[in-house]
Amino acid sequence: MQVYQYPNRSEWKALLQRPVMNNEALESSVKNILQEVKQQGDAAVKKFTQQFDKATISNLVVAEEEFIAAQQLLDAPLKAAILSAKVNIETFHKTQLTTPEVIETMPGVQCWRKSVGIEKVGLYIPGGTAPLFSTILMLGIPAKLAGCKEIILCSPPDANGQLNPAILFAAKAVGITQVFKVGGVQAIGAMAYGTETIPAVSKIFGPGNQYVTCAKQLVQQDGLAIDMPAGPSEVAVYADESANAAFVAADLLSQAEHGSDSQVVLVSCTQAVVNSIEQEINKQVAELPRKDIALKALTNSKLILVNNEAEAIDLLNEYAPEHLILSCNNPEQIAEQIINAGSVFLGHYSPESVGDYASGTNHTLPTNGYAKAYSGVSVDSFVKKITFQQLTQEGLKNISKTVIAMAEAEGLQAHANAVKVRL
């Protein structure tokens, strides 16, 4: 990891840059794939699945017998864990459901807002080196609670053309039955434009690598909604003298193992803390099965020594991490000052892993600094908020002078006439 000691604020922007690919080359490649999927449908999807996933797929749809086989293949403890996490995630997200409240803004004028589920949504579930079946819970549960009528799921197959049994079990557990064996840019294109087999949706959700993120941003330009531009995983940890070096090192590595383009950042005011955590990272990474991936991610990562706690908070808010762990003796106090983060983990016994899997909060979060403006996925992400108003004859009379005066001042006489004609 790169070590920075007491960097000037003028250096923060450059220091906190995320790892990026050549955007011009990336966008050109992604555009070509999307265009081919748009024009050729299933044929293009199958072609790119063969090219990128080395899988020959005759039928993109996951059949019912595959769901049944997944149920039998998965061991009982993992099935129990998935169902336990499902309960926690449902419990947390159910509290986000709201009942419309009618507000009388003036006598005879009533206004209210109603949440309506987006009719068709698509969920992208990364596969590859780490099939993220937990993301199905994070996206499928709020989609179901929101009342989305059609939920489709795409995930890349293995070389044998199969999806991980845990992905199929989790999908079935949350009630998703339209599952397709397709990943990468071609999956985003299929859900955006529709193919002979895969229906087009109104909004696409789910994390992915930089290709998937770029694809989501490009289809958004075509008028399709996306959850957020969520890219490679990242975590920032603030550690003071009370931090346990082994805990912090494990937290940093938990994100570094996601992918070689992930980034982890440690911020501390104490040199000894930085040194001990760095030693623990070197010790623990050697034991990881995904050591090579984690080591590549660590080359993108930073150990930053700052002058004091206030400066640490400012730097972390500037970074706006996807995940922020406050490994210190006053986490509640510091948390009150955090304004830019996807999800915050307080204290020495709140590892980021619990949020990834089972505490109940959502793990689909803004990355790449987008936490300055975006929220993580919630039930709200899957609904449209429609406003309503109803006026009585008396209500229209009460509000008429206001509307007429404003409409005429803007030079919109027809607006004014729509009120006048009713008086």
Side-chain angles (χ1 to χ4, degrees):
M1 294 176 71
Q2 303 163 52
V3 180
Y4 298 86
Q5 295 185 330
Y6 311 110
N8 292 324
R9 286 177 183 259
S10 61
E11 301 172 318
W12 285 5
K13 185 175 181 180
L15 169 63
L16 297 173
Q17 286 289 319
R18 272 72 169 184
V20 291
M21 296 178 67
N22 181 325
N23 284 336
E24 191 174 319
L26 172 69
E27 188 169 313
S28 175
S29 173
V30 171
K31 271 184 178 176
N32 290 336
I33 296 170
L34 289 175
Q35 191 62 27
E36 199 165 328
V37 170
K38 187 176 185 179
Q39 293 173 347
Q40 299 181 22
D42 283 352
V45 169
K46 292 175 181 179
K47 169 191 163 182
F48 291 121
T49 300
Q50 172 68 56
Q51 183 178 334
F52 298 123
D53 299 311
K54 311 302 179 192
T56 302
I57 304 289
S58 56
N59 187 358
L60 298 171
V61 182
V62 173
E64 180 59 31
E65 52 266 30
E66 293 177 84
F67 285 106
I68 295 169
Q71 169 89 18
Q72 296 167 344
L73 285 169
L74 217 58
D75 63 71
L78 180 53
K79 287 191 281 192
I82 290 171
L83 296 176
S84 175
K86 176 178 177 283
V87 170
N88 289 351
I89 295 163
E90 280 178 336
T91 300
F92 180 78
H93 286 74
K94 276 179 182 176
T95 65
Q96 298 166 14
L97 297 170
T98 57
T99 303
E101 182 180 359
V102 178
I103 306 298
E104 189 168 68
T105 57
M106 64 191 306
V109 181
Q110 292 186 328
C111 304
W112 64 98
R113 189 170 74 157
K114 179 183 177 183
S115 295
V116 178
I118 299 170
E119 193 170 12
K120 296 179 179 181
V121 297
L123 314 183
Y124 182 77
I125 306 302
T129 59
L132 300 186
F133 59 86
S134 56
T135 301
I136 299 171
L137 305 179
M138 299 294 177
L139 299 177
I141 289 170
K144 283 287 184 181
L145 290 172
C148 299
K149 290 182 179 177
E150 189 170 356
I151 304 170
I152 76 164
L153 187 157
C154 288
S155 189
D158 62 21
N160 297 317
Q162 301 298 315
L163 296 188
N164 187 287
I167 284 180
L168 298 184
F169 179 82
K172 197 76 166 178
V174 299
I176 300 171
T177 55
Q178 291 192 80
V179 180
F180 301 92
K181 294 178 275 191
V182 53
V185 174
Q186 60 270 27
I188 302 303
M191 290 190 284
Y193 308 123
T195 72
E196 299 90 327
T197 303
I198 302 171
V201 300
S202 300
K203 189 172 183 179
I204 294 176
F205 295 79
N209 60 22
Q210 295 196 54
Y211 288 93
V212 168
T213 300
C214 180
K216 287 170 66 179
Q217 291 171 315
L218 288 174
V219 298
Q220 188 178 32
Q221 293 173 18
D222 283 347
L224 191 89
I226 64 171
D227 50 357
M228 69 190 82
S233 292
E234 59 193 38
V235 66
V237 180
Y238 172 65
D240 68 6
E241 294 87 344
S242 69
N244 183 306
F247 293 1
V248 174
D251 288 332
L252 293 168
L253 290 171
S254 73
Q255 288 305 292
E257 74 170 356
H258 261 297
S260 57
D261 53 359
S262 295
Q263 185 180 66
V264 301
V265 173
L266 171 69
V267 180
S268 182
C269 309
T270 308
Q271 181 72 64
V273 171
V274 172
N275 292 345
S276 61
I277 292 171
E278 187 174 20
Q279 290 171 11
E280 272 292 332
I281 290 171
N282 293 333
K283 176 183 171 184
Q284 291 185 28
V285 73
E287 305 299 322
L288 292 177
R290 294 168 66 86
K291 171 186 173 181
D292 292 344
I293 292 172
L295 285 171
K296 286 180 183 176
L298 291 177
T299 65
N300 304 320
S301 301
K302 329 275 184 178
L303 299 168
I304 305 173
L305 191 63
V306 295
N307 290 295
N308 51 56
E309 186 177 276
E311 190 174 274
I313 292 167
D314 288 348
L315 186 143
L316 290 165
N317 279 324
E318 176 61 29
Y319 184 57
E322 177 190 19
H323 307 99
L324 173 61
I325 299 174
L326 301 176
S327 188
C328 53
N329 59 16
N330 59 338
E332 295 89 352
Q333 180 184 336
I334 292 178
E336 288 297 318
Q337 301 172 71
I338 297 301
I339 56 172
N340 296 324
S343 192
V344 184
F345 300 78
L346 281 66
H348 303 304
Y349 294 94
S350 304
E352 184 274 331
S353 304
V354 300
D356 264 357
Y357 291 110
S359 64
T361 61
N362 209 289
H363 78 199
T364 307
L365 302 164
T367 65
N368 204 33
Y370 285 109
K372 289 182 177 179
Y374 283 80
S375 307
V377 163
S378 66
V379 171
D380 279 353
S381 307
F382 291 90
V383 301
K384 304 158 293 184
K385 304 283 183 79
I386 304 175
T387 57
F388 298 81
Q389 48 263 299
Q390 184 173 30
L391 281 67
T392 63
Q393 188 173 15
E394 178 194 8
L396 183 62
K397 183 179 178 182
N398 289 337
I399 205 171
S400 61
K401 288 182 180 179
T402 298
V403 176
I404 291 168
M406 294 176 74
E408 290 180 343
E410 289 190 343
L412 299 175
Q413 191 60 48
H415 279 65
N417 290 343
V419 174
K420 288 180 179 180
V421 74
R422 288 173 164 81
L423 296 177

